[in-house]
Amino acid sequence: MTDRLHVLAIGNAIVDVLARTEDAFLADNGMTKGAMQLINETEAEAIYAKMGPATEISGGAAANTAAGLAALGSNVGFIGRVRNDQLGEVFTHDIRAQGVEYKTTPATDGLATARCFIFITPDGQRTMNTFLGASTRLTSADLNAEQIQRANVIYVEGYLWDAPEAKQAILDAVAIAKASGNKVAFTLSDSFCVDRHRAEFLELVRNHVDILFANEAEIKSLYETEDLEAAAAQAAKDCLVTAVTLSEKGAWVLNGAERHAVPAIPGVKVLDTTGAGDLFAAGFLHGYTTGRPLADCATMGCIAAGEVISHVGARPEADLKALVASRLG
């Protein structure tokens, strides 16, 4: 029998195109600093033409989490749709080379492989412009039920809700996971994404999600409050486990009445915040699926996030296993 997966991540298969820029460039091009906006193929071509020197790195939120989990030693898989084009080949090679089980068959027609243009300002903030391309055509037919059934946790990104076909695929994946007795983890992805889909996200969180990941802005948006304590308390009632990332203030993790505040890793020089939340989820889920206490899970998330923000790109470069061992053993 094929080995069980600790985690199966499901999300957009995207190639990140990263470039450094100044705040004025964002303002001149109508971009909201620190946010993600969706663009079409024509806009993608126009933005690419204006970019300075860029680096191409396979990305996508859930795919970044999968790569982080693999780096930590988890048995992890990923489901996400690419086109049979150059960027699709780049993505497929990269994620498999990371040690992630990736079986999704590339599309032979339709939209090109997704790409995300990420502009990094001097303060390390990232502003994203995403052409979701082929990833928006993810359907239930792309799901591998056998993978879902043997995953202890499926991890889903909220960004998928922007595409109706992909949303239905996720609902079907959740149903398969639940029928198999497996857990569902969900990340809210972006406060603007929450604004677009709040009612559906609340229904999902309250009735299907076991482990919720959010940053401060996202969880406040979900519960429509500026009171972080109130939002976190409500999430603790709605989910088995809630992890809230707080940037330089670290993270909270809640499990009913149990609550832990974990500090960020000190001394980290922030070069690029791309992937911080994704890698936090990787560290947390690695700890969770290997039986660590919740406080340790959050610390492992902070370690992984601290590593990824210390360099450009959303995939780990240092030895995450060694970093975790040096702090937690």
Side-chain angles (χ1 to χ4, degrees), residues 254-311:
L254 303 97
N255 173 218
E258 180 185 356
R259 173 170 158 176
H260 305 277
V262 175
I265 304 305
V268 175
K269 183 179 180 182
V270 180
L271 291 185
D272 172 19
T273 58
T274 309
D278 307 335
L279 268 293
F280 176 88
F284 189 97
L285 288 171
H286 179 72
Y288 187 85
T289 56
T290 54
R292 295 269 197 162
L294 289 178
D296 282 1
C297 295
T299 297
M300 293 168 76
C302 288
I303 292 168
E307 190 282 332
V308 84
I309 64 175
S310 69
H311 57 77

Side-chain angles (χ1 to χ4, degrees), residues 132-147:
L132 290 171
S135 68
T136 64
R137 298 299 188 261
L138 181 78
T139 70
S140 297
D142 294 307
L143 300 178
N144 185 313
E146 182 269 339
Q147 279 184 303

Side-chain angles (χ1 to χ4, degrees), residues 16-21 23 26 31-37 61 64 116-130 159 187 189-192 215 218 245 247 270-279 308-309 311-314:
D16 290 338
V17 184
L18 302 104
R20 296 191 175 280
T21 194
D23 288 1
L26 305 181
M31 299 175 189
T32 302
K33 184 175 179 177
M36 189 281 288
Q37 67 174 350
N64 292 336
C116 178
F117 301 103
I118 301 174
F119 294 96
I120 307 162
T121 41
D123 59 0
Q125 282 292 310
R126 82 277 191 259
T127 302
M128 299 180 288
N129 298 265
T130 306
Y159 284 135
T187 175
S189 294
D190 182 281
S191 59
F192 294 93
N215 64 24
E218 292 158 5
T245 56
S247 301
V270 180
L271 291 185
D272 172 19
T273 58
T274 309
D278 307 335
L279 268 293
V308 84
I309 64 175
H311 57 77
V312 173

Side-chain angles (χ1 to χ4, degrees), residues 177-192:
K178 290 293 187 178
S180 303
N182 302 329
K183 286 188 165 55
V184 173
F186 184 70
T187 175
L188 294 177
S189 294
D190 182 281
S191 59
F192 294 93

Side-chain angles (χ1 to χ4, degrees), residues 18-176:
L18 302 104
R20 296 191 175 280
T21 194
E22 300 296 327
D23 288 1
F25 178 88
L26 305 181
D28 291 345
N29 288 278
M31 299 175 189
T32 302
K33 184 175 179 177
M36 189 281 288
Q37 67 174 350
L38 298 174
I39 58 175
N40 59 34
E41 196 160 1
T42 300
E43 290 169 324
E45 291 172 358
I47 288 173
Y48 189 55
K50 295 178 182 178
M51 289 184 86
T55 302
E56 292 181 356
I57 306 171
S58 293
N64 292 336
T65 299
L69 279 156
L72 285 160
S74 287
N75 194 19
V76 58
F78 176 72
I79 292 175
R81 186 179 177 95
V82 298
R83 175 73 192 272
N84 63 338
D85 53 20
Q86 183 178 357
L87 288 181
E89 291 175 3
V90 167
F91 180 90
T92 299
H93 173 269
D94 281 1
I95 198 161
R96 288 177 176 166
Q98 294 270 358
V100 176
E101 180 182 287
Y102 179 56
K103 297 182 176 183
T104 313
T105 302
T108 56
D109 57 15
L111 296 172
T113 296
R115 69 286 314 264
C116 178
F117 301 103
I118 301 174
F119 294 96
I120 307 162
T121 41
D123 59 0
Q125 282 292 310
R126 82 277 191 259
T127 302
M128 299 180 288
N129 298 265
T130 306
F131 167 57
L132 290 171
S135 68
T136 64
R137 298 299 188 261
L138 181 78
T139 70
S140 297
D142 294 307
L143 300 178
N144 185 313
E146 182 269 339
Q147 279 184 303
I148 298 168
Q149 289 163 350
R150 63 184 172 89
N152 295 334
V153 177
I154 65 166
Y155 173 79
V156 183
E157 62 177 83
Y159 284 135
L160 286 170
W161 248 251
D162 286 315
E165 291 175 308
K167 178 175 70 175
Q168 186 57 53
I170 293 309
L171 293 173
D172 290 343
V174 167
I176 295 169

Side-chain angles (χ1 to χ4, degrees), residues 186-254:
F186 184 70
T187 175
L188 294 177
S189 294
D190 182 281
S191 59
F192 294 93
C193 189
V194 179
D195 290 342
R196 291 192 293 272
H197 307 293
R198 183 176 294 106
E200 290 178 303
F201 279 6
L202 281 169
E203 191 280 331
L204 188 75
V205 165
R206 287 170 173 159
N207 297 303
H208 304 288
V209 172
D210 301 293
I211 306 166
L212 177 67
F213 291 95
N215 64 24
E216 183 172 350
E218 292 158 5
I219 202 162
K220 286 179 177 178
S221 175
L222 182 66
Y223 293 107
E224 296 184 274
T225 178
E226 285 302 309
D227 186 338
L228 177 60
E229 291 277 358
Q234 186 59 53
K237 294 177 182 177
D238 289 344
C239 293
L240 177 65
V241 176
T242 301
V244 182
T245 56
L246 303 169
S247 301
E248 72 279 359
K249 293 177 285 186
W252 291 352
V253 57
L254 303 97

